[in-house]
Amino acid sequence: MSAAGLPFWELPKTLWIHGECVSINTDFRAGIRVRQMWWDPYFRERGDLFWRYAGQILCGEEAALVWDEDAAVTLLWYLLDGRVPCSVIRRRLSQAASDDQTEAVVPCEEGLSYVWDMPLIAASFLQVYGISLAREELHLWEFDALLAALPDDCALCRTLRARGADLSQIADDTLRAAAAAERIRARVPKDAALHEMCNDLHICTVGEC
């Protein structure tokens, strides 16, 4: 009996797409970028463009992924960390397509924005695990497992708690006002502002300013 790998948990480096075993870029940065594209309304209306960019990010510049149900199920299985059976994904995808809610197939972490919160995520990984996300290469599934296991007292979890505070459950007026102020401080900017920030960063890094 082979002792390779962990029981019931492997870190895939290939996906079966369009009848071929395709090597993929498993780094968490690549996976997060594809998730962000899946959630983006711009790409929901431009499926061919999504698949072209997803192929380039995960499989290399020359890759050309084409939409079909089997390829979609395989990609979503990977983006969901292999924790959802393909049969369930296929059923969810069909239902979501009929409801025009395909982005819901890959749920956003509640209250979390990869774009806005990445500095806090990086700080928490460094604080808790001693891992620098600026330098470390982690498989997407490793990153997700570590993110989910961050303790309640880390910087990210404290911010998420403040962002999701239910003010109606706080009876004391002073405490409720403080929680409301903290929730405002911790809120995520609107999508347009986030996109503008990302565009500014891209311009600076490309121009080496």
Side-chain angles (χ1 to χ4, degrees):
M1 178 183 295
S2 172
L6 296 171
F8 310 113
W9 199 58
E10 298 287 345
L11 301 178
K13 298 180 180 179
T14 60
L15 294 177
W16 190 257
I17 300 176
H18 303 314
E20 297 183 8
C21 188
V22 180
S23 296
I24 57 171
N25 178 1
T26 62
D27 188 73
F28 73 95
R29 300 165 185 84
I32 287 174
R33 287 179 64 195
V34 175
R35 281 177 182 161
Q36 290 292 123
M37 288 168 51
W38 179 268
W39 295 325
D40 194 320
Y42 177 87
F43 286 103
R44 284 205 302 277
E45 298 173 0
R46 297 165 177 83
D48 291 343
L49 196 61
F50 167 81
W51 279 94
R52 189 176 81 190
Y53 286 158
Q56 291 174 354
I57 293 169
L58 291 178
C59 309
E61 289 295 328
E62 303 302 320
L65 295 183
V66 179
W67 169 270
D68 66 34
E69 187 176 273
D70 289 339
V73 169
T74 300
L75 177 63
L76 294 176
W77 173 85
Y78 173 69
L79 294 179
L80 292 167
D81 293 345
R83 308 295 284 180
V84 181
C86 290
S87 60
V88 175
I89 295 173
R90 194 179 302 275
R91 186 167 64 250
R92 287 184 186 175
L93 194 60
S94 298
Q95 179 63 42
S98 65
D99 296 339
D100 195 27
Q101 295 289 330
T102 54
E103 78 281 4
V105 179
V106 179
C108 299
E109 287 80 354
E110 187 173 358
L112 177 70
S113 165
Y114 285 127
V115 177
W116 182 249
D117 292 326
M118 190 50 71
L120 280 177
I121 295 172
S124 296
F125 268 63
L126 193 59
Q127 172 194 356
V128 176
Y129 304 122
I131 293 175
S132 170
L133 293 181
R135 294 187 292 272
E136 196 78 22
E137 289 192 8
L138 293 173
H139 191 287
L140 176 65
W141 293 13
E142 287 182 296
F143 169 83
D144 288 340
L146 292 171
L147 180 65
L150 285 171
D152 289 341
D153 61 347
C154 74
L156 176 67
C157 292
R158 291 199 306 271
T159 296
L160 294 181
R161 272 201 310 279
R163 189 177 294 163
D166 185 354
L167 302 181
S168 67
Q169 299 299 311
I170 304 175
D172 183 272
D173 290 343
T174 301
L175 293 178
R176 186 169 59 253
E182 187 65 13
R183 192 169 71 171
I184 291 174
R185 186 197 65 79
R187 67 185 174 184
V188 179
K190 300 294 186 182
D191 286 345
L194 291 177
H195 285 307
E196 186 174 0
M197 288 164 44
C198 290
N199 288 336
D200 289 346
L201 177 63
H202 177 71
I203 292 169
C204 283
T205 54
V206 170
E208 298 183 351
C209 58

